[in-house]
Every structure is written in C-alpha cells, then in structure tokens.
C-alpha cells in the first residue's frame, strides 16, 4: 500500500508544473510521500478551501504553495489550516517574479507563509523535509546525509 502523503503541494496553474518538477523530484529523492493538486485561489476558491481545510486531517504535515503574479495562494491556504506553509513564488513574464515574491513574503503578522526564492522549488522540498524531519527521524537522517554530500562536493 502506498504511504500516506506527508507533504501537500498546491499550485495555482498547470503552467507552474515544469518549475515545480524540481520540488517533486527532490521529495522523491528523499522518499517523502506527497500529494499534488492544481487549484487557484481566484479561479477555484472553493476547491482551495476544501483541500486546505481538510489537509491536516488527511495526515499532511506541511504544505508547499506555488503561485505566480498576485500570488495569494499560500496566504489563502494558511487561512484554512494550522499546518506550516512554504511558498514558492513563480517567475513571471511581466515583473520577473517580484510580483509573486512580494505577494508571498509580505504576509501580514499572524498569518505566516515561509517563502523560498523565485522558482525555488527544490529548496521548498528540502525545507518541507526539514520540518518533517524535526519529528520523524527517518527524514531528519535524509537531510543530514544530503548536507554531508553537499559538504563533500
Ligand atoms: C497564477 O497565475 C498561477 O500560479 C500561475 O503562476 C499564474 C499564471 O497562470 P496561467 O495563466 O498560466 O494559468 O494563478
């Protein structure tokens, strides 16, 4: 039987998928089970609500939210779940991703969305695994090995 997902990935559009493949590839390398949904905060608000408000009960431990332009997806998801959110601001054609970055990183006090770099999909996977690894030693060991490998070049 497949393991229950620990990480939930939500993205605003299927156009975000090519960038987010770096995230899913890294999670797979760490052996972290994840689920992935495409739902936009402004095009599919009810789907986002349903997915986010049931995420913790489904066993997810952390959420990665990827979006571009007026990238309010992470903040909207944060409104509906106690889980930590890692935002991935997408590079955009008009403003180079500064629009996405500022929309995510400038969340008002009380509703945090941790934010990686523009198109920082791989770091989002590493960070999510670190969060899980803080309480699940098998994933903490994956991160420790990853860091050892990096140090050795
Ligand atoms: C956001 O708008 C998505 O996250 C995407 O990055 C951006 C553009 O979406 P598409 O017009 O490509 O569907 O909602």
């Amino acid at each position: 039987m497949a393991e229950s997902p620990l990480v939930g990935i939500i993205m605003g559009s299927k156009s975000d998928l090519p960038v987010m493949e770096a995230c899913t590839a890294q999670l797979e390398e760490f052996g972290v089970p994840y689920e992935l949904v495409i739902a936009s905060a402004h095009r599919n608000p009810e789907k986002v609500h349903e997915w986010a408000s049931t995420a913790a009960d489904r066993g997810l431990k952390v959420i990665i939210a990827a979006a571009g332009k007026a990238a309010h997806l992470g903040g909207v998801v944060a409104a509906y779940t106690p889980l930590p959110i890692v935002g991935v601001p997408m590079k955009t054609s008009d403003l180079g991703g500064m629009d996405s970055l500022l929309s995510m990183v400038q969340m008002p006090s009380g509703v945090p969305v941790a934010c990686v770099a523009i198109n920082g999909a791989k770091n989002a996977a590493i960070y999510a695994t670190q969060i899980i690894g803080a309480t699940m030693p098998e994933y903490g060991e994956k991160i420790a090995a990853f860091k050892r490998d990096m140090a050795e070049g």
Side-chain angles (χ1 to χ4, degrees):
M1 196 175 79
E3 285 178 276
S4 297
L6 295 171
V7 175
I9 303 172
I10 186 167
M11 57 190 83
S13 169
K14 64 177 186 301
S15 68
D16 300 326
L17 256 177
V19 168
M20 290 308 290
E21 276 166 10
C23 176
T24 56
Q26 188 62 59
L27 289 174
E28 283 164 22
E29 197 174 312
F30 287 143
V32 175
Y34 64 88
E35 64 175 49
L36 191 155
V37 65
I38 294 172
S40 156
H42 47 270
R43 287 181 285 221
N44 323 98
E46 285 167 12
K47 185 174 176 184
V48 172
H49 172 230
E50 168 66 17
W51 185 85
S53 59
T54 55
D57 287 343
R58 289 199 308 280
L60 297 182
K61 303 299 180 203
V62 54
I63 287 172
I64 296 172
K69 302 192 177 189
H72 42 212
L73 182 60
V76 170
V77 170
Y80 293 123
T81 178
L83 297 174
I85 317 291
V86 185
V88 185
M90 293 289 109
K91 189 168 186 181
T92 56
S93 51
D94 295 321
L95 296 175
M98 282 303 291
D99 40 357
S100 322
L101 173 66
L102 294 177
S103 301
M104 283 189 181
V105 83
Q106 285 295 96
M107 281 298 293
S109 181
V111 189
V113 172
C115 188
V116 294
I118 295 169
N119 279 1
K122 177 172 175 168
N123 267 2
I126 297 167
Y127 192 61
T129 306
Q130 288 174 313
I131 292 172
I132 294 166
T135 52
M136 301 175 83
E138 69 210 269
Y139 299 111
E141 283 158 20
K142 300 271 182 175
I143 292 292
F146 178 79
K147 292 203 169 226
R148 272 197 306 274
D149 287 350
M150 262 200 314
E152 284 163 13

